[in-house]
Amino acid sequence: MKKLQKSLIALSIFLCCTDVAIGQQSLFRDGDRIAFIGSSIAMKGGNFHYINLFYATRYPGTSITFLNGGIGGDITNGIIERMDEDILSQKPTWVIMMLEENDLQVGLYYKSRQGEEGIAEKRHQWLNNWLKNADSIIRILKKANVKIILETPSIYDQTGNLPVENGYGVNDSLQKCAAYLKQLAKKYDLPLVDCWTILNDVNKIVQQKDITNSIIGNDRVHISPMGYFVMAYEFLKSIPANPIVSKTVIDSRNSKIMSQENCSVTNLKTSAAQLQFLLESNSLPFPSPEGVNVDSFFSFSTELNSEILRVKKMKKGNYQLIIDENNVGIFSANELKKGINLSLYKNTPQYVQASRVLALFEEYWKLEYSLRRLKFIEYNYLGKLQNKDNPDEVQKAFDEVLDRFKQKEGYNYLKNTFAEYKANKPVEKDLVSKSDSLLHSIRSISMPAGHQYKITRL
């Protein structure tokens, strides 16, 4: 960790002393493949999807591939068992390790089992299994020469007045898991992202207003879109990332570009009533996904999505800002002097372009989830099957599972899940090809363009 801290200090000094080059700084490099491993929370992917979106818009010229290594319902033993076949086979250069709560066996914490003989020992045994395997997974990855970032687990909501039974004590055990990961980070000199603490703090804020609400969700375990964004925010704050989309400072009176960061400003023309220039940024602003207010709990727009335009020494009055043909808004001379964060305005051409990137990503993420569901079914229900390509054997395995669940609550879910598998498995290669094509389109459409700025006095 000391090495990482020294690197961060050196990076900070460098960024303070540079200008346009700031946009090129990233922990991840061109060609890196980054796998996020875990169970259902990783498999659903919201956390690393938002990180992926950030890197695609902030570093559009860099080819970085994010890989889904989550399997719903998995415990740490399962992650170890599928490590070679499912994770290392994808040739990751980095693995983000976020082990979830499945090892803890939430049912052991239900009120109905409080007086059960040996219950404390069972809880302790499963907690120790998580701790032991966390260390084992790190050693396996290090042996494979994979770089590692540790993420503490997300929280279990044991404080909210929610509709499902409360396994009170699960979150306390997860806190112990988080503390142990911090020890492992020091032991192995690894960077760490503390998701547990920030989610716990944010959930307290949420429930101070409404005890029936949760940053997690009604089932106490799985993450809401806003919860996923909180995790992504903590990652981007903990791991070096360029916070600036672009920053431009212009002296209007003297027709001078005073500074430019992560962008290029040319063709500056000034008159008594108007200012014009061409600005080409190295990045796009981060577009807000549906269900996410990026500034709900922290100043993301200021801290990590700064697209600043400052114009000094303008005559008093109000000015209209037009970018290309888009009327962005009307601002006073004082507002322009202080600086406008354009990432807050969704009608700029660059934000519109970033929104198109997001739309493509949403299509890509759906495909990714469909492909990951195939792995989910194979690891959870077809693990012992010798020939997974034989439809008759697959159907027989499905029938056996459905027969066991005929009178149980999960029957319809399993029936639909198996039907989805039978529909998608024969076209798996086509889905992979389509997802690869979407990634290519995303990398193409995320490349920034130059835009004509016109600031006119009203």
Side-chain angles (χ1 to χ4, degrees), residues 366-408:
K366 287 177 183 177
L367 275 174
E368 175 202 83
Y369 190 65
S370 294
L371 286 165
R372 203 62 199 157
R373 291 270 287 176
L374 298 178
K375 296 291 185 184
F376 162 78
I377 294 164
E378 287 169 359
Y379 280 108
N380 283 314
Y381 301 105
L382 303 177
K384 297 177 182 178
L385 202 64
Q386 295 296 319
N387 187 4
K388 295 182 179 68
D389 295 325
N390 187 318
D392 293 332
E393 289 188 30
V394 169
Q395 185 60 57
K396 183 180 177 182
F398 286 166
D399 288 342
E400 289 175 357
V401 174
L402 289 172
D403 192 56
R404 293 199 304 271
F405 278 83
K406 221 161 201 176
Q407 305 302 323
K408 296 182 181 178

Side-chain angles (χ1 to χ4, degrees), residues 273-368:
Q274 195 174 80
L275 179 76
Q276 294 185 65
F277 55 90
L278 181 71
L279 187 151
E280 183 170 357
S281 175
N282 296 335
S283 304
L284 295 175
F286 179 90
S288 299
E290 186 176 354
V292 171
N293 179 347
V294 298
D295 295 317
S296 285
F297 303 105
F298 27 71
S299 300
F300 174 83
S301 297
T302 301
E303 296 175 75
L304 287 165
N305 208 25
S306 184
E307 188 183 8
I308 303 299
L309 172 64
R310 293 183 66 195
V311 184
K312 298 182 175 182
K313 300 179 181 178
M314 301 189 80
K315 291 183 178 180
K316 290 182 180 180
N318 293 324
Y319 292 80
Q320 183 180 46
L321 171 62
I322 293 176
I323 304 177
D324 296 339
E325 301 301 321
N326 298 54
N327 182 7
V328 176
I330 296 172
F331 307 94
S332 69
N334 194 46
E335 287 174 316
L336 288 165
K337 179 183 176 182
K338 289 179 179 178
I340 303 161
N341 189 350
L342 292 173
S343 74
L344 298 171
Y345 297 86
K346 298 184 179 182
N347 58 345
T348 66
Q350 53 270 34
Y351 195 100
V352 171
Q353 182 183 353
S355 297
R356 292 201 299 270
V357 175
L358 171 59
L360 285 178
F361 260 126
E362 287 171 340
E363 190 178 346
Y364 171 77
W365 294 331
K366 287 177 183 177
L367 275 174
E368 175 202 83

Side-chain angles (χ1 to χ4, degrees), residues 54-163:
F54 180 90
Y55 273 86
T57 50
R58 194 57 47 90
Y59 306 103
T62 306
S63 177
I64 301 173
T65 303
F66 286 73
L67 306 165
N68 191 324
I71 292 289
D74 213 356
I75 61 174
T76 54
N77 298 68
I79 293 172
I80 292 171
E81 288 172 8
R82 63 183 171 87
M83 180 66 73
D84 288 334
E85 181 184 62
D86 187 41
I87 296 165
L88 295 179
S89 64
Q90 298 190 69
K91 295 181 170 47
T93 48
W94 290 86
V95 162
I96 316 300
M97 190 180 100
M98 196 201 78
L99 310 179
E100 300 168 33
E101 86 299 324
N102 291 336
D103 280 67
L104 303 181
Q105 306 294 317
V106 172
L108 296 176
Y109 293 79
Y110 288 158
K111 189 175 182 179
S112 56
R113 302 189 66 175
Q114 294 295 314
E116 185 178 309
E117 186 178 352
I119 194 70
E121 289 77 10
K122 289 177 183 178
R123 292 173 184 168
H124 185 70
Q125 181 183 3
W126 278 107
L127 174 60
N128 276 350
N129 190 69
W130 191 104
L131 303 177
K132 174 177 68 70
N133 284 343
D135 190 277
S136 297
I137 291 170
I138 291 172
R139 285 187 280 108
I140 291 168
L141 292 171
K142 286 180 74 69
K143 187 177 179 180
N145 294 317
V146 175
K147 289 173 277 191
I148 306 163
I149 295 174
L150 303 179
E151 280 196 343
T152 61
S154 54
I155 65 170
Y156 175 89
D157 191 333
Q158 64 184 33
T159 54
N161 184 8
L162 303 175

